[in-house]
Amino acid sequence: MALIAVAESAQDMAAAFHKFLDPVPESAAEINGLLSELYAISSALRDLNTAIAVSLHNPRYSLISDHVRDSIKSLRYTIDDVRRLIAGLRRPIYLSDSAAYRGVWREISLYFQNESSTSLCLRLEFYRRFFHSLLRILEGLPVDRREFNSLQDRIDGLLSVQNTSTRLEDELAGMHLGNPEPPRRSFERPRPLNDPPSPESPIFQHRGGGGRRPDPRSPLSPGFDQNPFGAPFAPEVPLSPTTASTFSTQSSSNNSVLTHWVPRVFDQSRSTTPFRTIGQTSACFGTDMPNVSTKLAEEYDKLQELPFENSELIIRLYFRPSDSRARIHCRTSRPNRPRMQCCLPLTSLEVFRVDSCLQLCRPSHSRRTFQLWTALRFISYERMILFFCTFIALKAQDAGDPVQITDHELRGEDLQWSGIILDDHYEHALRLFKDRDSGGLRLQASIESGELNKTPVWTAFITHNVSSPSWMWQAARKIVHLADLQRYIFTTEYTPRLGPGGEHELRFLHSNDAITFMERIDILAAEQV
């Protein structure tokens, strides 16, 4: 079944879609959703491949073998269709690159909607959830039988359509980017598990069996500019100071830990709003660095340790006081698997969300492709948000390697309201979010401009506050008071504004914002009843 080859094809498909972000900005949210799902599918297939390798004689394997075969077959059909549609970028055209990408994106959207009455992103979500269920069955873990049967019916129905349907290309004739080719009367699909590499695909290469990705620097790499994957991925960054190639022999003082904001964020008590949909198991995919813990201790202070999967995976956050350099250390220790540890600067990673999982990915030098480094599964909305905001804030505050923050928004949250507040003598953007899966509500104040633009300053979870009639009142035209607001603060340079009686104060820049904020809170409170 070559699950690893399919996993790699999913990653290549993500790399292909990443090229659409700039030319099709109005669909950036949907494209980012595709990227997240494809990385999650790739990870799930690798987990499934590992589990199958040690379970071939396990009676549970016979329960899922047909499901694995059929779902992989359907996924390969989908990948082949995307490859064929993206090949349209190679047609002789007289439009700008942006127009070409927009046209192909429209073709892709229309094609999958016509085939299965769902978007490509939703189809990928079905695959991903089904693979996770298969893995749980193989590992002897409980699954939601109703959800499993629903996913199985969807994929079986889709596969039936994929096996028997004919494609009339004149459905898309009006969307061709140049002189259209003569329409063929039908499209006969090859068998995807055996077909050879496609020479047409301009962005990603099909691989069969156990084929390996060609070196992106090789002139044999297919695609635009002879490199469909952008620049090669950045190597695991060595643990050296930014201006020297060796380690300092002096240990940093732990005084910085006592004054740093990170421990206070995670030490505070917090409410718990559980996720309904649980994502993939936490896992680390980085390169093993056996002595990295010892080297870290020589110049970094450990800020926080966070266990996942019953401490089988442990994340540690490190900080260098001299330049606010931040690193993340991942250690795994699982039964029947070798121990490993790895470490990277936070500035070399970007974060994506899939269900209740945060995926930390390494971008290539060109930032056109991403490679999954670590996946972290969270049980509660609050814990995920605190890690996410901590990750973004530490990365933004890193003076050793300043980077532009592009992953400051979290997929799966709906923005309910936004405005400007005067917060500790600064103008901050205040946003109200509602999580689609858990129903959790939170406020977030972020820096409004400058080098740290959109960096979180504080967040507060208000899911259980909004329904209280005595929680919120308007103290003045531009001032709203809150009886209680537990803020998690992501900087040492902020002091919350309090009213004369100790109530928490939100001072809005515009009086109308105060009114619309309270109205939106009232609506959300009514929805909880």
Side-chain angles (χ1 to χ4, degrees), residues 5-116:
V6 182
E8 291 176 342
S9 292
Q11 279 192 242
D12 292 346
M13 186 170 161
F17 276 119
H18 195 273
K19 292 177 178 286
F20 284 73
L21 282 171
D22 289 339
V24 197
E26 65 275 12
S27 299
E30 185 176 357
I31 295 170
N32 277 316
L34 288 175
L35 300 182
S36 296
E37 293 294 351
L38 288 165
Y39 291 132
I41 286 172
S42 178
S43 175
L45 289 177
R46 294 175 192 275
D47 287 344
L48 192 58
N49 182 75
T50 300
I52 289 175
V54 298
S55 305
L56 289 176
H57 304 292
N58 186 324
R60 286 191 293 268
Y61 176 67
S62 62
L63 298 175
I64 71 166
S65 59
D66 289 345
H67 299 312
V68 173
R69 182 194 64 238
D70 290 345
S71 57
I72 289 298
K73 185 177 182 181
S74 177
L75 175 58
R76 288 293 299 270
Y77 281 156
T78 297
I79 291 173
D80 287 346
D81 283 340
V82 172
R83 181 183 302 110
R84 179 175 57 85
L85 291 164
I86 287 181
L89 290 170
R90 272 201 182 277
R91 298 179 194 141
I93 56 177
Y94 303 96
L95 303 173
S96 66
D97 287 346
S98 178
Y101 275 96
R102 286 171 183 269
V104 171
W105 175 252
R106 287 194 299 270
E107 288 192 26
I108 290 172
S109 300
L110 180 61
Y111 179 87
F112 288 101
Q113 190 68 38
N114 286 343
E115 182 178 57
S116 58

Side-chain angles (χ1 to χ4, degrees), residues 52 251 356:
I52 289 175
S251 298
S356 68

Side-chain angles (χ1 to χ4, degrees), residues 472-476 478-482 504-508 514-515 517-518:
M472 175 182 67
W473 64 96
Q474 189 165 8
K478 298 182 180 180
I479 297 176
V480 171
H481 281 174
L482 305 175
H504 293 261
E505 184 173 292
L506 299 179
R507 187 180 294 267
F508 294 86
I515 295 171
F517 172 79
M518 296 183 68

